[in-house]
Amino acid sequence: MTLQDSCLPSILTLGHQRLGRYNGSDDIFCLHCFSTLRLMQHFHKFVAQTFIMRHQTIAKLLLFIFVFIQLNATSQVQLTLNTADAKTTINRNIYGHFAEHLGRCIYDGFWVSDTMKIPKKDRIRLDVVEALKRIKIPNLRWPGGCFADEYHWRDGIGPRAQRPKMVNTNWGGVVEDNSFGTHEFMELCELLKTEPYIAGNVGSGTVEEMAKWVEYFNFDGVSPMANLRKQNGRTKPWKVSFWGVGNESWGCGGNMKPEYYADLYRRYATYARDYPGAPLKKIVSGSSDRDYNWTEVCMKNIPLNMMYGLTLHYYTIPTGTWNGSKGSATAFNEQAYFKTMRNCLKMEEYVTKHAAIMDKYDKEKKVALLVDEWGIWTDVEAGTNPGFLYQQNSLRDALIAGTTLNIFNNHSDRVRGANLAQSVNVLQAVILTKGRQMLLTPTYYVFDLFKVHQDAKLIPIKFESPDYVSGAEKIPALNVSASKDSTGAIHISLVNLDPSKSIAIKTSVDGVWNSIEGQILTSSNLTDINTFEKPNSIKSVTFNNSKKEGNNLSVDVPAKSIVVLRLK
């Protein structure tokens, strides 16, 4: 076999960030990327010396063989499951979702024209409802987002023809007709069999406005707001529990300083009353990514008995910057993929460090950390309104979802809620719609696979992940979480981020178990998507690459895949 000179740049360019760099010279070859792949030292020297001595055919052949082996290699991992210490509950609310008055999430997503010929209740689209019920969404956050702090709830009640219109200044400058308001949202939650999570207006609202909204929702008696609710067709109160006091108060929710917000929160929270049978879980508007000072100030200045939880927002941006291009949802190479996954994994750092600050003031972990906005944020699809944040959803996004949910599961002693942004047609949506058509994105199937963890007991795990290497950088290739449900079944969710290498895992599992069932989500390419023409290109299927040997479990996790196993 003879390799021409022109082959070498091609071989080295193939996944160049992992395999090597070619500088255009026959005399000099950079061995840096070989080192990152842990090539044995004598092989380093042999290839280098042979190449430099111009025995090019042999050196190139060895290089080709080495590249082929590395691309098809399998990493070995020993995983330890401590089933005896499965005590912490993975709160189902970690699997929450988010519906903002943004783009086509509410309007043309959940809420459609009364003339559209599809199954609906009032104007609520029922195929979307049924899809979300299948993944058992535990809560739905509304009306924002940034929209929450310019939303005045009384504009969205009463006869729809009489509701005032407004301009949605945050998202696209479109006219909001307020046809979807409090009663419509609560009907949606009842159809979904999910718990409402209300984000109240602190940025442009008043203490009185929020207090009266709580009364409207929750008071069962004679009062101005209870009477108004009854006039609008609802006799009994809804007894809403989750209540956010503002949203992103450091930014679009008022550009406040943490000391000012902490004082303001105490005032708003004081008048957001607990009515009989309807105690509120009041939630502090927390920080974004690495703003640890915001968390410190809020935890220091707000009494623990005045808050149920404190939020954290973090979005995975492929390019890592809010300025200029964020990166394409579908047109990216492996180098961009690596950078995206590196950014995704920062969630582990942020959750850990914010939780550590909370531990200083709340050693008993009474206050929940709620990551109520997360997901990938890319450039919008070509030809769409930039303010609508409509983006496609690829296998890469599914890997982000699986990785992030594993992080939340493993921090469930403090993380007791989260909300993917957003449910339909916005950002990392689980559902996309186009007229009467609807499709489920790869991210949807991750939530379908991971729903088995809801309210199960977290099983502590130990393992050393192999590296996924790109140039001089590396990230863990494998992430895992495991749980034991009320029937005794064990579920293990495995995410392999390496796009080229499978990972062989071995573990011993205590107790009696007789069978293994598995599901896998993967595809040929990281950029693969579901389209309205081919809506089933990526979906979960049965996984058979695992086996039981006594009490030992062995599983081969393919490259770029999410696998969930059930041991019973």
Side-chain angles (χ1 to χ4, degrees), residues 66-332:
F66 173 73
V67 168
F68 180 82
I69 292 172
Q70 287 295 323
L71 281 172
N72 293 276
T74 299
S75 300
Q76 306 286 330
V77 172
Q78 185 68 40
L79 181 70
T80 301
L81 297 177
N82 186 3
T83 56
D85 201 28
K87 299 174 182 178
T88 301
T89 298
I90 299 174
N91 194 306
R92 66 183 182 277
N93 288 302
I94 284 172
Y95 293 84
H97 288 259
F98 177 26
E100 183 170 8
H101 289 240
L102 192 173
R104 297 193 302 113
C105 184
I106 297 296
Y107 299 103
D108 203 30
F110 284 109
W111 188 250
V112 296
S113 168
D114 54 7
T115 62
M116 182 176 284
K117 294 182 179 180
I118 57 171
K120 53 186 181 293
K121 175 71 180 296
D122 192 355
R123 290 169 55 185
I124 296 172
R125 184 169 180 156
L126 291 181
D127 56 351
V128 170
V129 167
E130 291 304 314
L132 292 176
K133 283 172 65 177
R134 285 196 295 273
I135 59 174
K136 298 182 178 180
I137 71 167
N139 69 78
L140 185 63
R141 182 172 179 247
W142 174 85
C146 294
F147 182 80
D149 282 292
E150 66 175 353
Y151 181 67
H152 299 283
W153 69 271
R154 296 188 75 159
D155 293 344
I157 61 172
R160 290 175 195 155
Q162 298 176 21
R163 297 180 190 179
K165 294 178 172 59
M166 62 174 285
V167 179
N168 188 335
T169 59
N170 280 288
W171 304 118
V174 296
V175 174
E176 160 70 52
D177 71 2
N178 280 309
S179 62
F180 188 92
T182 298
H183 290 255
E184 290 78 15
F185 174 68
M186 295 307 297
E187 182 177 31
L188 172 62
C189 289
E190 289 172 355
L191 290 170
L192 289 168
K193 300 185 186 304
T194 196
E195 192 165 359
Y197 172 8
I198 302 298
N201 183 347
V202 171
S204 68
T206 65
V207 172
E208 180 185 19
E209 181 182 26
M210 185 180 291
K212 287 185 174 179
W213 203 12
V214 174
E215 181 185 328
Y216 190 89
F217 271 115
N218 288 352
F219 183 58
D220 188 8
V222 178
S223 77
M225 293 302 104
N227 292 343
L228 181 60
R229 182 189 69 238
K230 294 170 186 176
Q231 291 172 22
N232 289 326
R234 175 77 183 193
T235 302
K236 289 295 183 180
W238 289 287
K239 297 186 177 181
V240 168
S241 178
F242 287 112
W243 198 273
V245 181
N247 167 77
E248 294 189 356
S249 299
W250 42 264
C252 65
N255 286 303
M256 303 176 197
K257 294 180 179 179
E259 293 81 4
Y260 176 77
Y261 171 75
D263 287 343
L264 199 61
Y265 172 90
R266 294 169 64 132
R267 183 170 171 233
Y268 273 79
T270 296
Y271 293 96
R273 303 294 191 186
D274 290 342
Y275 291 103
L280 289 181
K281 294 176 179 176
K282 301 169 190 176
I283 297 166
V284 176
S285 174
S287 76
S288 176
D289 48 68
R290 64 177 67 85
D291 185 356
Y292 302 114
N293 180 60
W294 187 281
T295 297
E296 183 91 37
V297 170
C298 288
M299 291 299 298
K300 180 179 179 180
N301 293 342
I302 300 173
L304 299 184
N305 63 3
M306 291 189 75
M307 55 177 165
Y308 167 80
L310 179 145
T311 69
L312 169 65
H313 290 180
Y314 176 62
Y315 287 96
T316 296
I317 301 176
T319 60
T321 178
W322 290 99
N323 301 316
S325 174
K326 298 178 181 66
S328 171
T330 55
F332 54 88

Side-chain angles (χ1 to χ4, degrees), residues 13-55:
T13 301
L14 174 63
H16 68 276
Q17 66 272 25
R18 299 181 58 248
L19 301 178
R21 297 190 182 97
Y22 177 67
N23 61 11
S25 166
D26 286 342
D27 296 314
I28 300 174
F29 175 68
C30 175
L31 291 173
H32 169 74
C33 289
F34 274 138
S35 299
T36 63
L37 288 174
R38 300 176 179 175
L39 190 62
M40 295 172 60
Q41 285 187 347
H42 69 271
F43 193 74
H44 279 234
K45 294 177 182 178
F46 178 74
V47 174
Q49 291 169 0
T50 303
F51 189 80
I52 292 171
M53 293 170 63
R54 295 179 179 277
H55 294 292

Side-chain angles (χ1 to χ4, degrees), residues 539-560:
K539 62 180 182 179
S540 54
V541 296
T542 300
F543 177 73
N544 295 313
N545 242 2
S546 59
K547 61 182 177 178
K548 183 180 188 295
E549 299 170 340
N551 271 352
N552 294 322
L553 168 68
S554 63
V555 54
D556 190 16
V557 184
K560 57 182 184 304

